[in-house]
Amino acid sequence: MEFKKAEKKEVITDAEVKSRMNAWPDCYYRERDARVRRQLLDEASRENLTPEENKMREVLWNKRYKNAGPGSPMTDLYLKTWLDFRFISENLGGLFGNKSNRKKALEALKCLGGEELESFGSAGDNILYQEIYHLGMLYISLCQEDRNYKSLVFGLGSISDDRLISKIAAEFRSVAIKVPKETGLTKECGLWTRALTAAFSDAYPDSRTFLEE
């Protein structure tokens, strides 16, 4: 999966929406803009494409995105979950203690919408997996585009591609593997871990071992 850098416009024309239906649902998981994803999902539902799966996608879209107000980008609560896990990873064994970290991690997981999909069984797990995978690919794209993330100390140039991959891998290890393990939530975070590690491995197939370091 690969994301194009987001355009300034937040919606696309009806004609473009309809043309993308030829690649449904892949087009949905290749789109990074929340409002465009909404357009695609609505059109797929109108055309009765994968109707049962779309019910679950509807649940997750409503769980993931919140309107921050007119003219503002949608708030992505999946990214907030990522940042919550990153904060936890930086405080493991520290002031807050792992009991508190476990509680924080469980609260962050609720933003993913897994509880709302429990009645759908394994089909719900599959749709949730795809949405978390989408988060992983989105986060990688944001890191690749962020000049500050790629900059050297004091902003004097940019780090090499290898160092960038290593930096991203370290964050994926912490968020997807270390936090679940250290907080005793490997079972509860099973989909989270599998989807994020798969996203990194697919984005950097020659660097999969970086997650093991």
Side-chain angles (χ1 to χ4, degrees):
M1 184 184 295
E2 182 179 356
F3 291 105
K4 294 181 179 179
K5 192 170 183 177
E7 300 177 7
K8 290 184 179 179
K9 61 180 182 180
E10 296 178 336
V11 295
I12 56 179
T13 65
D14 291 343
E16 186 174 352
V17 170
K18 290 181 180 296
S19 70
R20 291 199 194 183
M21 290 300 102
N22 293 324
W24 179 264
D26 289 348
C27 64
Y28 184 72
Y29 292 109
R30 291 181 181 275
E31 177 57 53
R32 59 200 283 174
D33 185 272
R35 290 187 172 91
V36 175
R37 296 187 88 204
R38 178 79 259 180
Q39 286 182 275
L40 296 172
L41 179 55
D42 287 346
E43 180 61 27
S45 296
R46 278 192 292 269
E47 296 186 19
N48 202 34
L49 302 174
T50 62
E52 291 303 314
E53 292 181 358
N54 290 348
K55 292 177 183 178
M56 294 177 270
R57 293 187 180 104
E58 173 90 20
V59 170
L60 294 187
W61 192 96
N62 290 324
K63 189 73 176 179
R64 179 172 180 176
Y65 301 112
K66 299 299 179 184
N67 196 333
S72 300
M74 301 287 285
T75 299
D76 188 342
L77 296 182
Y78 273 40
L79 284 174
K80 179 182 181 299
T81 296
W82 178 284
L83 295 176
D84 287 343
F85 267 65
R86 189 172 73 178
F87 177 81
I88 293 169
S89 74
E90 295 169 353
N91 291 280
L92 288 171
L95 177 63
F96 298 100
N98 280 351
K99 183 177 181 180
S100 176
N101 285 327
R102 178 185 173 90
K103 182 179 179 180
K104 291 177 182 294
L106 286 172
E107 285 296 317
L109 284 176
K110 289 182 179 180
C111 291
L112 301 180
E115 292 182 357
E116 287 80 352
L117 295 187
E118 286 181 353
S119 62
F120 292 95
S122 60
D125 288 344
N126 182 54
I127 295 299
L128 180 57
Y129 176 96
Q130 292 180 62
E131 199 67 22
I132 299 172
Y133 182 98
H134 179 275
L135 166 68
M137 285 297 193
L138 172 62
Y139 195 80
I140 289 171
S141 295
L142 293 175
C143 291
Q144 291 171 336
E145 296 163 9
D146 189 332
R147 291 183 179 180
N148 291 327
Y149 194 89
K150 297 188 296 183
S151 67
L152 295 168
V153 178
F154 304 121
L156 300 176
S158 299
I159 59 178
S160 66
D161 289 343
D162 286 345
R163 287 186 62 187
L164 175 61
I165 295 172
S166 180
K167 183 177 181 179
I168 294 173
E171 195 165 346
F172 268 73
R173 282 199 310 273
S174 294
V175 168
I177 301 172
K178 185 177 180 181
V179 169
K181 181 179 179 180
E182 295 296 322
T183 57
L185 294 173
T186 53
K187 180 179 179 181
E188 292 83 349
C189 293
L191 277 176
W192 172 260
T193 298
R194 291 197 299 275
L196 292 180
T197 54
F200 179 87
S201 297
D202 289 346
Y204 302 112
D206 296 329
S207 304
R208 295 175 181 177
T209 56
F210 282 26
L211 293 178
E212 303 171 0
E213 294 180 2

